[in-house]
Amino acid sequence: MTAELRAHSAYSFGDGAVTPEALVARAAELGYTALGLTDTADLGGIVRFGVACRAHRVRPIVGAELIIDGRPLALLARTRQGYGHLASLVTRSRSGELLSADMPRPKRAKPHLSTADLTGRTRGLFLLTGPSSGTLATLVRDDRMFEATRLLHQWREQFDGHVAVEVQCHHTGGDEAALAAALITLAERARVPWIVAQDPRYIDRGGRLVHDMLTALRH
């Protein structure tokens, strides 16, 4: 049985449509033994997620989706130190760099980081390369394979080999299937593992309607 590593709850504010408890309950119904929660730049649902996982005997995998240089990727905590780094990155993505107490509070904006922000904060973390809008997938889709390969090797070195290429296929058309195949080929040539992720935001038809409305409001 596979495990979904990229679920989003309502703590992905304006994006996820269900509670952490509902995600865990549905995962348990499907027979999953583990579930990853990667809310967008937020760890607010982790306690509720952990409690629900314990009740349903599902192993919790804690992570977050972060916007790095304008593109999403996901980081999963492997260790206590990794969780600390993850929390630090989430905070930094929301607050920015405060050089002194006299600096004005930064304007509220979409949480984001730069590649430089990862320096010194990768130990204990596992990197998933992100959805079709992520940097790696964008390079592959644009047929910039040399740059995609270089980026993948760079991530592998930066995260001490703890990286996997994220592959998604929601059967929305041939372009998506072609991208999935290209990502798998890239991963195998680079000798980097690849994983299947559906990146869910809802669990039923009602949740899909809620997510559609949230998407419309967001845009």
Side-chain angles (χ1 to χ4, degrees):
M1 172 64 72
T2 60
E4 177 58 65
L5 298 177
R6 292 282 277 115
H8 290 251
S9 77
Y11 282 87
S12 289
F13 295 101
D15 195 1
V18 293
T19 64
E21 292 88 345
L23 283 170
V24 174
R26 181 56 176 157
E29 288 177 7
L30 294 172
Y32 287 5
T33 57
L35 179 66
L37 185 65
T38 56
D39 281 320
T40 305
D42 202 285
L43 295 172
I46 292 304
V47 173
R48 292 173 59 178
F49 175 64
V51 171
C53 282
R54 178 175 294 180
H56 288 277
R57 296 184 179 181
V58 173
R59 178 189 175 192
I61 300 173
V62 175
E65 182 174 274
L66 297 172
I67 306 300
I68 309 291
D69 295 332
R71 299 281 183 179
L73 55 73
L75 297 176
L76 306 177
R78 297 188 298 106
T79 64
R80 183 184 296 269
Q81 182 185 35
Y83 180 81
H85 286 323
L86 182 64
S88 173
L89 288 167
V90 168
T91 300
R92 192 180 184 87
S93 74
R94 291 186 171 277
S95 66
E97 176 98 38
L98 299 179
L99 297 179
S100 74
D102 298 327
M103 288 186 66
R105 186 177 180 86
K107 293 182 179 179
R108 188 173 180 85
K110 188 174 183 179
H112 65 280
L113 296 164
S114 68
T115 298
D117 291 320
L118 295 176
T119 302
R121 297 182 176 90
T122 59
R123 189 176 294 276
L125 291 172
F126 193 102
L127 182 143
L128 302 178
T129 58
S132 60
S133 57
T135 301
L136 186 73
T138 299
L139 290 172
V140 171
R141 189 169 48 247
D142 293 343
D143 199 28
R144 296 160 63 185
M145 299 305 294
F146 176 78
E147 293 171 74
T149 302
R150 183 174 60 184
L151 176 63
L152 190 53
H153 285 303
Q154 175 185 321
W155 278 338
R156 182 167 60 181
E157 180 177 353
Q158 189 174 18
F159 286 82
D160 195 26
H162 299 290
V163 58
V165 174
E166 189 175 331
V167 179
Q168 299 179 7
C169 190
H170 298 95
H171 305 290
T172 60
D175 289 345
E176 184 191 52
L179 175 60
L183 286 169
I184 291 171
T185 299
L186 171 64
E188 291 180 344
R189 287 179 177 173
R191 296 183 179 179
V192 170
W194 57 274
I195 61 104
V196 175
Q198 293 302 306
D199 214 6
R201 265 77 169 173
Y202 53 86
I203 57 175
D204 53 27
R205 291 180 182 272
R208 179 175 181 175
L209 177 60
V210 171
H211 185 256
D212 284 349
M213 291 189 292
L214 290 173
T215 301
L217 288 170
R218 194 169 65 252
H219 289 284

